[in-house]
Amino acid sequence: MRDHIEQREVKLKPIKVALILVAPTPYRRPMVDRLLQCEEINLQVYYCYGTHIDRPWASEAEKYERTVIFSDRPFRGRLPVHIRPHIHFNPDIVSELRRQAFEVVVVPGYSPLTTVAAIAWCQWTRTPYVMICESHKGKPQSKAVKWLKRLVLSPLIKPASAWLVPGSYHREYLTSYGANPERIFTSPLSPDVEFFQRESAKSKDLVSELRREMGLHESKVICYVGRLVAVKGVDLLLKAFLRVRSAAPDTALLVVGDGPLRGQLEGMCQAGGSGGVYFVGFKQPAELPRYYALSDLFVLPSKAETWGVVVNEAMACGLPVVVSDSVGAAGDIVRDGYNGFVVKTGDVIELSAAMLKLVENEQLRAEMGRRSLEIIRGWDYPLGVDGFLKAARLASGRQLGSELKVNSFR
């Protein structure tokens, strides 16, 4: 008697995944929310510490389910502020990973030390881990530094089961350390594009009123959003703006952000006789759309920049953008001559020329702004969720998704 084969679907248990992140950030939380809703994974989120030492973002991460924030154990020694977060060490992560028996652990690169401990545990127990990499090769380094980094980082990077990157620059960086390009997936650093687009559109009708409130009298506004620290290159921006202002006097520079260099930068403006520069201080992400709405173009001249989420925000608000070639976003969403300009890092003349070209050409600004919107609509959370799930499946060995077709015999 011939056997009959019947195909049926078997529902697999969700993949048990630990996601370790450095600290709660407003642009990553919506992505985490979407991952927590995915039926294919059972996600537990861990933060190495509760607040970012140099970014006073509002956060309510402690109120979310399946979220653990380790108590802050900062290094108290005399180290620069931007280094101290990487010295945080929360040994509780090891006991937590052992107790929960995760199938996959997702780690935020190779710092802080809490992450290194998690990687060491995964390698010791042969637990698959996925590495989120936000570093890229844009920052110039000596041969000695490159050799030392390869020696130290290759044993952490290469054994990962899969990798998640914001974009192309970061993919190139990983492959240079031996990562398999077929196991690298895109998970963009992105704000809530729909929110910025919607709120900016609402503010467009209020531009005249907003400018009047701020005392902005110039007809063209260049916008910068970010910390006022050396690596952001705001000093270069001020020098470039001085050149733009001499050719187009009816131009203003709006500086949104705060930091240790604010007093020095304001002093530069006074000493150089550079009028038209408005420092408005730090603003929470929810407040930013109004500042983008009253601006005509956005500039991020960083000397080194992992990605630059503010670029996404500005594009979501329909602005053309000018960035340095050290900005990670330049590898994917800023297309030179299409929706903005990518200039050589540290080149004040090239930076000022790009800014002036946009200031003087209204039609070019409008065209590039529309292209920014077109590009950024496809660079949002769904792309990130898809990349995350692909990496989790690959790391866990589940290539078929949440349902598996099997044969049964009669």
Side-chain angles (χ1 to χ4, degrees), residues 43 74 82 150 167 172 179 191-192 225 253 277 321-322 325 359 366 369 382 387 391:
L43 187 68
H82 69 281
R150 187 170 299 279
E172 293 171 10
D192 189 334
V225 177
L253 174 62
V277 181
V321 293
V322 179
D325 56 10
V359 164

Side-chain angles (χ1 to χ4, degrees), residues 89 93-94 107-122 156:
F89 178 53
I93 189 63
V94 174
V107 297
Y110 33 77
S111 64
L113 291 177
T114 306
T115 301
V116 178
I119 292 174
W121 184 87
C122 288
L156 302 176

Side-chain angles (χ1 to χ4, degrees), residues 82-346:
H82 69 281
I83 291 179
R84 289 178 201 164
H86 303 288
I87 310 300
H88 277 247
F89 178 53
N90 305 96
D92 298 338
I93 189 63
V94 174
S95 57
E96 186 72 13
L97 294 177
R98 182 171 58 244
R99 184 176 66 86
Q100 293 281 1
F102 292 103
E103 295 176 70
V104 177
V105 177
V106 182
V107 297
Y110 33 77
S111 64
L113 291 177
T114 306
T115 301
V116 178
I119 292 174
W121 184 87
C122 288
Q123 291 184 357
W124 177 261
T125 60
R126 296 186 179 181
T127 301
Y129 66 94
V130 175
M131 179 175 286
I132 301 171
C133 178
E134 297 177 1
S135 297
H136 63 77
K137 297 170 71 174
K139 186 177 181 181
Q141 293 174 334
S142 67
K143 288 184 179 180
V145 171
K146 288 180 180 178
W147 178 84
L148 183 60
K149 286 188 71 174
R150 187 170 299 279
L151 182 68
V152 174
L153 298 182
S154 290
L156 302 176
I157 294 174
K158 195 172 180 180
S161 298
W163 298 266
L164 291 167
V165 295
S168 302
Y169 282 4
H170 314 79
R171 183 180 295 268
E172 293 171 10
Y173 176 85
L174 281 175
T175 55
S176 73
Y177 281 94
N180 183 346
E182 295 181 359
R183 290 174 170 259
I184 302 175
F185 301 96
T186 301
S187 184
L189 287 172
S190 176
D192 189 334
V193 170
E194 291 183 2
F195 168 80
F196 277 89
Q197 187 177 348
R198 182 180 64 249
E199 295 303 312
S200 174
K202 287 180 184 177
S203 298
K204 286 290 184 185
D205 295 334
L206 305 173
V207 166
S208 297
E209 181 181 335
L210 292 173
R211 288 190 177 190
R212 190 166 53 251
E213 284 179 10
M214 297 178 59
L216 262 170
H217 306 297
E218 292 81 359
S219 62
K220 302 294 182 293
V221 177
I222 300 168
C223 181
Y224 165 84
V225 177
R227 292 174 295 148
L228 303 185
V229 292
V231 74
K232 295 292 186 178
V234 185
D235 57 330
L236 303 174
L237 176 57
L238 292 177
K239 292 174 184 176
F241 175 71
L242 190 60
R243 296 175 66 90
V244 171
R245 178 94 168 175
S246 65
D250 198 21
T251 307
L253 174 62
L254 186 62
V255 179
V256 184
D258 214 335
L261 294 185
R262 178 168 178 173
Q264 179 181 327
L265 294 169
E266 289 177 329
M268 276 182 62
C269 295
Q270 294 170 3
S274 179
V277 181
Y278 298 80
F279 290 85
V280 299
F282 173 81
K283 302 296 175 184
Q284 294 293 343
E287 302 175 84
L288 293 177
R290 63 183 298 185
Y291 294 99
Y292 291 123
L294 58 80
S295 301
D296 295 283
L297 63 136
F298 176 82
V299 183
L300 185 64
S302 302
K303 300 168 186 175
E305 187 78 50
T306 294
W307 179 263
V309 177
V310 287
V311 177
N312 302 55
E313 295 172 355
M315 288 174 59
C317 296
L319 292 180
V321 293
V322 179
V323 301
S324 72
D325 56 10
S326 292
V327 173
D332 294 274
I333 61 174
V334 184
R335 300 170 190 173
D336 189 41
Y338 184 74
N339 70 311
F341 297 104
V342 180
V343 301
K344 185 178 179 181
T345 303

